[in-house]
Amino acid sequence: MSAKQRYDRRDIRRLNAVSVLNQLRANGPMSRAMIAGTLGLTRATISNIVKELLEVSIVSETEYNEGGAGRPGLLLNLNPDSGSIIAVDLNLSHFAVVLTNVGQDTLWRDHSPLLRDANPEEVLVQIVKSVEKALDFSAKQNLRCYGICVAWAGLVDRDQGELAYGPTSGWEDVPLKRDWESRFKIPVYVENEAHAGAIGIHHFGARPGIRNLVYLSLGVGLGAGVYVDGVLLRGKQGFAGQVGHTHFLNNGVRCSCGKQGCWVTEIGASGIERKLTAAGFTFPKQGSSGMDWVDLISEEALTGNPKVLLVLREVGSQLGVGAARLIQTFNPSMIVIGGRLGRAMQLVQPQIESAIFSETLPYMAEPLEVVVSPSGEDHIQGCIATVFDSIMKNPPLAAAQEPEWSLNLN
């Protein structure tokens, strides 16, 4: 049975433009003739599309292609300075705002620790001021901002663009997308932080495009982003990956979510703080050290503090035991431990790997790659990738008015 669908020429033009951009994204600089040959379109069609993309500066012409037969053609490439992207990492103890160009070069950044038990209104006012500064900097560089993406800890409703519930923070029904789009007049995307971290590794990690991946975001909270066969698993409501609030230890401590013995209570920052206090480590008052308490754990570990390292070895083993359960559930080719405590976890990677490989079935463990990501920027990278993907899928084009036409699809 055939279906009739109405298209106008703008739709076809946009689909062709997306195809051209994807070729440049995947292959780097290409001539018009190379793109036409790859896509099976006429050179005239490609020339018209490229003309529009040049007009809006999303692509640029570079050097001549001297390698082919006949007259050399100018190579085309994505223009890194066609616009800007804003990424916001809103963690439970810290926020960061990063402005990049489309080429992912960092142009401006701001970050600040957050007070414990701060309410969402106070936090968002602080972040809005930072975003306004980023937009002002972008405007001064004559860069159009294509969008903002926020990585948020908790149950994120992506469609509504809000935090539905933060099991650790206790925040509920905190809107963002609607308010920010009204304020800033640009698209706003909202992601769970672990999902954003997985997107960042999938796009920009050591093996871009990896199809089977488990990403663990470890900081004050603990969440997972999981790719299976190249698809990020989100679940029915988009809340998949709340592994920190799965049962881990009988007779464990009470979790902020109300349950007892959750995994995050043992390996999250609050669990590490509790264990360090029991080991005799004294935390300075917040703010007196010039850094927030999550950073402090990493700094003390990196300086070789024996009490901190002893606790982190225990945490590394507990992290590996829980990670093994995820490995046996999803059978990834890579598991990445990232987030704010990634730097500290680098120091106990042997304990993590030992626990993973002892708790995982051999046939699943042998091909597994264990990576500890120390940068703490995975969430930011995922936000950048989210906005960049939106540009590639819906590029700005001239708003020409053209008649509709019908296409029969069988």
Side-chain angles (χ1 to χ4, degrees):
M1 184 174 65
S2 64
K4 189 174 183 180
Q5 184 170 345
R6 291 188 67 81
Y7 285 83
D8 64 31
R9 294 187 181 181
R10 287 168 297 177
D11 295 328
I12 302 301
R13 194 173 75 251
R14 188 169 298 279
L15 289 172
N16 287 335
V18 168
S19 297
V20 170
L21 292 175
N22 283 331
Q23 287 299 311
L24 297 175
R25 181 181 187 179
N27 302 311
M30 299 176 71
S31 69
R32 292 166 175 79
M34 292 164 64
I35 297 171
T38 302
L39 295 178
L41 297 173
T42 67
R43 292 196 185 188
T45 297
I46 294 299
S47 293
N48 288 333
I49 296 166
V50 167
K51 180 181 177 183
E52 284 202 72
L53 294 174
L54 287 168
E55 286 177 357
V56 294
S57 299
I58 207 164
V59 301
S60 58
E61 293 178 318
T62 60
E63 72 275 8
Y64 280 95
N65 176 28
E66 302 286 354
R71 189 175 65 181
L74 275 170
L75 293 178
L76 304 162
N77 204 359
L78 298 177
N79 180 9
D81 293 318
S82 66
S84 67
I85 294 168
I86 294 177
V88 180
D89 183 11
L90 174 50
N91 206 294
L92 297 166
S93 63
H94 167 274
F95 81 85
V97 176
V98 177
L99 175 76
T100 74
N101 64 7
V102 173
Q104 291 97 51
D105 300 315
T106 299
L107 306 175
W108 181 94
R109 68 184 301 140
D110 182 27
H111 63 277
S112 177
L114 297 172
L115 294 173
R116 293 191 188 188
D117 303 321
N119 66 57
E121 291 78 14
E122 292 171 337
V123 170
L124 290 179
V125 166
Q126 189 176 354
I127 296 173
V128 161
K129 291 179 180 177
S130 184
V131 170
E132 288 173 341
K133 292 177 182 177
L135 286 169
D136 183 58
F137 187 92
S138 181
K140 289 178 179 177
Q141 304 301 309
N142 294 316
L143 295 175
R144 164 188 176 178
C145 186
Y146 284 113
I148 304 168
C149 183
V150 180
W152 214 337
L155 307 183
V156 171
D157 185 330
R158 292 176 67 246
D159 293 335
Q160 295 299 316
E162 66 180 24
L163 179 69
Y165 175 55
T168 302
S169 66
W171 295 359
E172 290 186 79
D173 300 323
V174 183
L176 192 146
K177 178 181 174 68
R178 181 185 59 199
D179 293 348
W180 281 24
E181 287 187 338
S182 175
R183 175 188 292 266
F184 299 126
K185 312 301 181 187
I186 56 177
V188 175
Y189 310 88
V190 184
E191 271 289 358
N192 165 268
E193 65 164 7
H195 290 177
I199 293 168
I201 294 295
H202 181 74
H203 279 71
F204 303 119
R207 290 165 56 190
I210 185 169
R211 294 181 60 77
N212 293 283
L213 165 73
V214 170
Y215 176 84
L216 285 173
S217 178
L218 179 61
V220 176
L222 172 65
V226 180
Y227 274 88
V228 175
D229 290 338
V231 177
L232 179 63
L233 299 184
R234 296 189 178 276
K236 179 181 177 181
Q237 297 164 279
F239 299 159
Q242 294 299 311
V243 297
H245 297 283
T246 55
H247 182 74
F248 184 78
L249 189 67
N250 291 330
N251 301 316
V253 302
R254 181 71 59 181
C255 181
S256 58
C257 74
K259 297 187 294 182
Q260 192 171 2
C262 291
W263 192 16
V264 70
T265 63
E266 295 299 315
I267 70 170
S270 61
I272 296 174
E273 182 186 29
R274 183 184 74 248
K275 293 175 182 181
L276 285 172
T277 300
F281 178 82
T282 302
F283 282 83
K285 291 182 179 180
Q286 187 176 13
S288 64
S289 66
M291 66 181 72
D292 71 70
W293 60 300
V294 181
D295 284 339
L296 178 65
I297 293 171
S298 297
E299 291 299 325
E300 289 292 327
L302 290 167
T303 58
N305 186 306
K307 292 179 180 178
V308 175
L309 289 174
L310 183 64
V311 167
L312 289 184
R313 291 187 189 107
E314 177 191 351
V315 169
S317 295
Q318 292 178 310
L319 174 57
V321 169
R325 300 173 185 175
L326 297 175
I327 292 162
Q328 296 195 146
T329 301
F330 297 108
N331 190 25
S333 55
M334 178 187 290
I335 183 163
V336 178
I337 293 93
R340 300 285 310 288
L341 283 170
R343 282 196 306 158
M345 291 299 105
Q346 267 200 316
L347 301 174
V348 293
Q349 186 164 350
Q351 286 76 21
I352 297 171
E353 291 184 351
S354 177
I356 284 176
F357 292 126
S358 65
E359 295 286 330
T360 304
L361 290 170
Y363 282 95
M364 301 177 76
E366 287 173 4
L368 179 70
E369 186 176 355
V370 180
V371 176
V372 180
S373 176
S375 73
E377 296 283 296
D378 302 326
H379 309 152
I380 293 289
Q381 292 294 311
C383 288
I384 294 168
T386 296
V387 179
F388 183 75
D389 278 348
S390 73
I391 301 169
M392 294 296 100
K393 292 174 182 175
N394 188 25
L397 296 174
Q401 298 296 320
E402 295 176 345
E404 292 189 341
W405 62 290
S406 297
L407 178 67
N408 287 321
L409 300 177
N410 293 321

PDB file of all heavy atoms in Angstrom, residues 8 31 48 52 98 117 126 141 158 160 166 181 241 296 304 306 328 342 345 398:
ATOM      1  N   ASP A   8       7.675  20.100   0.717  1.00  0.00           N
ATOM      2  CA  ASP A   8       7.978  21.264  -0.093  1.00  0.00           C
ATOM      3  C   ASP A   8       9.478  21.262  -0.377  1.00  0.00           C
ATOM      4  O   ASP A   8      10.235  20.472   0.179  1.00  0.00           O
ATOM      5  CB  ASP A   8       7.498  22.576   0.556  1.00  0.00           C
ATOM      6  CG  ASP A   8       8.205  22.883   1.861  1.00  0.00           C
ATOM      7  OD1 ASP A   8       9.383  22.494   2.014  1.00  0.00           O
ATOM      8  OD2 ASP A   8       7.592  23.525   2.734  1.00  0.00           O
ATOM      9  N   SER A  31      35.772  18.108  -1.953  1.00  0.00           N
ATOM     10  CA  SER A  31      35.368  19.014  -3.027  1.00  0.00           C
ATOM     11  C   SER A  31      33.892  18.796  -3.342  1.00  0.00           C
ATOM     12  O   SER A  31      33.289  17.794  -2.947  1.00  0.00           O
ATOM     13  CB  SER A  31      36.206  18.759  -4.279  1.00  0.00           C
ATOM     14  OG  SER A  31      35.878  17.489  -4.832  1.00  0.00           O
ATOM     15  N   ASN A  48      24.372  24.267  -5.519  1.00  0.00           N
ATOM     16  CA  ASN A  48      23.322  25.105  -4.941  1.00  0.00           C
ATOM     17  C   ASN A  48      23.252  24.950  -3.422  1.00  0.00           C
ATOM     18  O   ASN A  48      23.074  25.931  -2.686  1.00  0.00           O
ATOM     19  CB  ASN A  48      21.972  24.762  -5.567  1.00  0.00           C
ATOM     20  CG  ASN A  48      21.855  25.245  -7.000  1.00  0.00           C
ATOM     21  OD1 ASN A  48      22.511  26.226  -7.385  1.00  0.00           O
ATOM     22  ND2 ASN A  48      21.040  24.575  -7.801  1.00  0.00           N
ATOM     23  N   GLU A  52      24.297  27.867  -0.330  1.00  0.00           N
ATOM     24  CA  GLU A  52      23.518  28.264   0.844  1.00  0.00           C
ATOM     25  C   GLU A  52      24.304  28.070   2.131  1.00  0.00           C
ATOM     26  O   GLU A  52      24.272  28.904   3.043  1.00  0.00           O
ATOM     27  CB  GLU A  52      22.214  27.463   0.904  1.00  0.00           C
ATOM     28  CG  GLU A  52      21.156  27.921  -0.065  1.00  0.00           C
ATOM     29  CD  GLU A  52      19.779  27.493   0.390  1.00  0.00           C
ATOM     30  OE1 GLU A  52      19.295  28.088   1.377  1.00  0.00           O
ATOM     31  OE2 GLU A  52      19.225  26.581  -0.214  1.00  0.00           O
ATOM     32  N   VAL A  98      30.676  26.490  29.936  1.00  0.00           N
ATOM     33  CA  VAL A  98      31.747  26.521  28.944  1.00  0.00           C
ATOM     34  C   VAL A  98      31.180  26.991  27.611  1.00  0.00           C
ATOM     35  O   VAL A  98      30.156  26.463  27.141  1.00  0.00           O
ATOM     36  CB  VAL A  98      32.396  25.131  28.780  1.00  0.00           C
ATOM     37  CG1 VAL A  98      33.465  25.164  27.689  1.00  0.00           C
ATOM     38  CG2 VAL A  98      33.001  24.665  30.097  1.00  0.00           C
ATOM     39  N   ASP A 117      22.986  22.012  50.303  1.00  0.00           N
ATOM     40  CA  ASP A 117      21.591  22.321  50.646  1.00  0.00           C
ATOM     41  C   ASP A 117      21.102  23.624  50.024  1.00  0.00           C
ATOM     42  O   ASP A 117      20.091  24.196  50.462  1.00  0.00           O
ATOM     43  CB  ASP A 117      21.389  22.385  52.174  1.00  0.00           C
ATOM     44  CG  ASP A 117      21.800  21.091  52.865  1.00  0.00           C
ATOM     45  OD1 ASP A 117      21.518  20.011  52.295  1.00  0.00           O
ATOM     46  OD2 ASP A 117      22.400  21.157  53.951  1.00  0.00           O
ATOM     47  N   GLN A 126      22.360  31.960  39.900  1.00  0.00           N
ATOM     48  CA  GLN A 126      23.812  32.042  39.778  1.00  0.00           C
ATOM     49  C   GLN A 126      24.270  31.584  38.393  1.00  0.00           C
ATOM     50  O   GLN A 126      25.122  32.219  37.759  1.00  0.00           O
ATOM     51  CB  GLN A 126      24.454  31.169  40.866  1.00  0.00           C
ATOM     52  CG  GLN A 126      25.961  31.321  40.996  1.00  0.00           C
ATOM     53  CD  GLN A 126      26.520  30.504  42.152  1.00  0.00           C
ATOM     54  OE1 GLN A 126      25.777  29.903  42.933  1.00  0.00           O
ATOM     55  NE2 GLN A 126      27.840  30.473  42.261  1.00  0.00           N
ATOM     56  N   GLN A 141      32.442  38.316  19.922  1.00  0.00           N
ATOM     57  CA  GLN A 141      33.261  37.621  18.932  1.00  0.00           C
ATOM     58  C   GLN A 141      32.519  37.465  17.596  1.00  0.00           C
ATOM     59  O   GLN A 141      33.003  36.785  16.683  1.00  0.00           O
ATOM     60  CB  GLN A 141      33.635  36.226  19.446  1.00  0.00           C
ATOM     61  CG  GLN A 141      34.349  36.215  20.781  1.00  0.00           C
ATOM     62  CD  GLN A 141      35.639  37.008  20.758  1.00  0.00           C
ATOM     63  OE1 GLN A 141      36.472  36.811  19.882  1.00  0.00           O
ATOM     64  NE2 GLN A 141      35.794  37.906  21.722  1.00  0.00           N
ATOM     65  N   ARG A 158      13.623  15.075  29.472  1.00  0.00           N
ATOM     66  CA  ARG A 158      14.224  15.791  28.339  1.00  0.00           C
ATOM     67  C   ARG A 158      13.183  16.537  27.521  1.00  0.00           C
ATOM     68  O   ARG A 158      13.455  17.631  27.019  1.00  0.00           O
ATOM     69  CB  ARG A 158      14.974  14.803  27.435  1.00  0.00           C
ATOM     70  CG  ARG A 158      16.210  14.201  28.058  1.00  0.00           C
ATOM     71  CD  ARG A 158      16.833  13.168  27.163  1.00  0.00           C
ATOM     72  NE  ARG A 158      17.375  13.750  25.943  1.00  0.00           N
ATOM     73  CZ  ARG A 158      16.907  13.518  24.725  1.00  0.00           C
ATOM     74  NH1 ARG A 158      15.860  12.733  24.539  1.00  0.00           N
ATOM     75  NH2 ARG A 158      17.467  14.066  23.664  1.00  0.00           N
ATOM     76  N   GLN A 160      10.279  17.876  28.448  1.00  0.00           N
ATOM     77  CA  GLN A 160       9.849  19.093  29.139  1.00  0.00           C
ATOM     78  C   GLN A 160      11.027  19.995  29.477  1.00  0.00           C
ATOM     79  O   GLN A 160      10.857  21.173  29.773  1.00  0.00           O
ATOM     80  CB  GLN A 160       9.085  18.727  30.416  1.00  0.00           C
ATOM     81  CG  GLN A 160       7.785  17.991  30.175  1.00  0.00           C
ATOM     82  CD  GLN A 160       6.804  18.809  29.353  1.00  0.00           C
ATOM     83  OE1 GLN A 160       6.632  20.003  29.588  1.00  0.00           O
ATOM     84  NE2 GLN A 160       6.156  18.174  28.389  1.00  0.00           N
ATOM     85  N   GLY A 166      15.548  14.866  41.904  1.00  0.00           N
ATOM     86  CA  GLY A 166      16.939  14.601  42.237  1.00  0.00           C
ATOM     87  C   GLY A 166      17.004  13.758  43.486  1.00  0.00           C
ATOM     88  O   GLY A 166      16.779  14.275  44.590  1.00  0.00           O
ATOM     89  N   GLU A 181      14.622  29.293  27.280  1.00  0.00           N
ATOM     90  CA  GLU A 181      14.364  29.632  25.875  1.00  0.00           C
ATOM     91  C   GLU A 181      13.630  30.957  25.771  1.00  0.00           C
ATOM     92  O   GLU A 181      13.875  31.743  24.842  1.00  0.00           O
ATOM     93  CB  GLU A 181      13.585  28.510  25.195  1.00  0.00           C
ATOM     94  CG  GLU A 181      14.435  27.278  24.932  1.00  0.00           C
ATOM     95  CD  GLU A 181      13.739  26.210  24.119  1.00  0.00           C
ATOM     96  OE1 GLU A 181      12.487  26.205  24.100  1.00  0.00           O
ATOM     97  OE2 GLU A 181      14.439  25.374  23.508  1.00  0.00           O
ATOM     98  N   GLY A 241      19.419   4.461  34.090  1.00  0.00           N
ATOM     99  CA  GLY A 241      20.791   4.695  34.514  1.00  0.00           C
ATOM    100  C   GLY A 241      20.965   5.112  35.954  1.00  0.00           C
ATOM    101  O   GLY A 241      22.086   5.450  36.362  1.00  0.00           O
ATOM    102  N   LEU A 296      38.623  18.425  46.718  1.00  0.00           N
ATOM    103  CA  LEU A 296      39.569  18.212  47.806  1.00  0.00           C
ATOM    104  C   LEU A 296      39.960  16.738  47.926  1.00  0.00           C
ATOM    105  O   LEU A 296      41.138  16.412  48.140  1.00  0.00           O
ATOM    106  CB  LEU A 296      38.961  18.701  49.123  1.00  0.00           C
ATOM    107  CG  LEU A 296      39.821  18.494  50.370  1.00  0.00           C
ATOM    108  CD1 LEU A 296      41.090  19.328  50.277  1.00  0.00           C
ATOM    109  CD2 LEU A 296      39.043  18.844  51.628  1.00  0.00           C
ATOM    110  N   GLY A 304      49.196  11.997  47.603  1.00  0.00           N
ATOM    111  CA  GLY A 304      49.673  10.790  48.280  1.00  0.00           C
ATOM    112  C   GLY A 304      49.261  10.665  49.727  1.00  0.00           C
ATOM    113  O   GLY A 304      49.895   9.909  50.486  1.00  0.00           O
ATOM    114  N   PRO A 306      48.090   9.138  52.786  1.00  0.00           N
ATOM    115  CA  PRO A 306      47.883   7.697  52.995  1.00  0.00           C
ATOM    116  C   PRO A 306      46.476   7.340  53.454  1.00  0.00           C
ATOM    117  O   PRO A 306      45.952   6.280  53.085  1.00  0.00           O
ATOM    118  CB  PRO A 306      48.937   7.331  54.047  1.00  0.00           C
ATOM    119  CG  PRO A 306      49.297   8.622  54.712  1.00  0.00           C
ATOM    120  CD  PRO A 306      49.139   9.670  53.669  1.00  0.00           C
ATOM    121  N   GLN A 328      27.896  -7.608  33.238  1.00  0.00           N
ATOM    122  CA  GLN A 328      27.198  -8.870  32.950  1.00  0.00           C
ATOM    123  C   GLN A 328      25.774  -8.640  32.484  1.00  0.00           C
ATOM    124  O   GLN A 328      25.177  -9.509  31.843  1.00  0.00           O
ATOM    125  CB  GLN A 328      27.244  -9.773  34.179  1.00  0.00           C
ATOM    126  CG  GLN A 328      28.663 -10.178  34.521  1.00  0.00           C
ATOM    127  CD  GLN A 328      28.745 -11.332  35.493  1.00  0.00           C
ATOM    128  OE1 GLN A 328      29.639 -12.139  35.401  1.00  0.00           O
ATOM    129  NE2 GLN A 328      27.824 -11.418  36.437  1.00  0.00           N
ATOM    130  N   GLY A 342      36.775  11.141  38.791  1.00  0.00           N
ATOM    131  CA  GLY A 342      37.569  10.350  37.853  1.00  0.00           C
ATOM    132  C   GLY A 342      39.064  10.449  38.133  1.00  0.00           C
ATOM    133  O   GLY A 342      39.784   9.449  38.078  1.00  0.00           O
ATOM    134  N   MET A 345      39.972   8.256  41.012  1.00  0.00           N
ATOM    135  CA  MET A 345      39.830   6.838  40.701  1.00  0.00           C
ATOM    136  C   MET A 345      40.968   6.315  39.843  1.00  0.00           C
ATOM    137  O   MET A 345      41.243   5.122  39.821  1.00  0.00           O
ATOM    138  CB  MET A 345      38.494   6.583  40.005  1.00  0.00           C
ATOM    139  CG  MET A 345      37.270   6.762  40.891  1.00  0.00           C
ATOM    140  SD  MET A 345      37.237   5.625  42.303  1.00  0.00           S
ATOM    141  CE  MET A 345      37.689   6.745  43.645  1.00  0.00           C
ATOM    142  N   ALA A 398      18.661  29.719   4.296  1.00  0.00           N
ATOM    143  CA  ALA A 398      17.874  30.885   3.893  1.00  0.00           C
ATOM    144  C   ALA A 398      16.406  30.514   3.844  1.00  0.00           C
ATOM    145  O   ALA A 398      16.035  29.436   3.375  1.00  0.00           O
ATOM    146  CB  ALA A 398      18.344  31.389   2.529  1.00  0.00           C
TER     147      ALA A 398
END
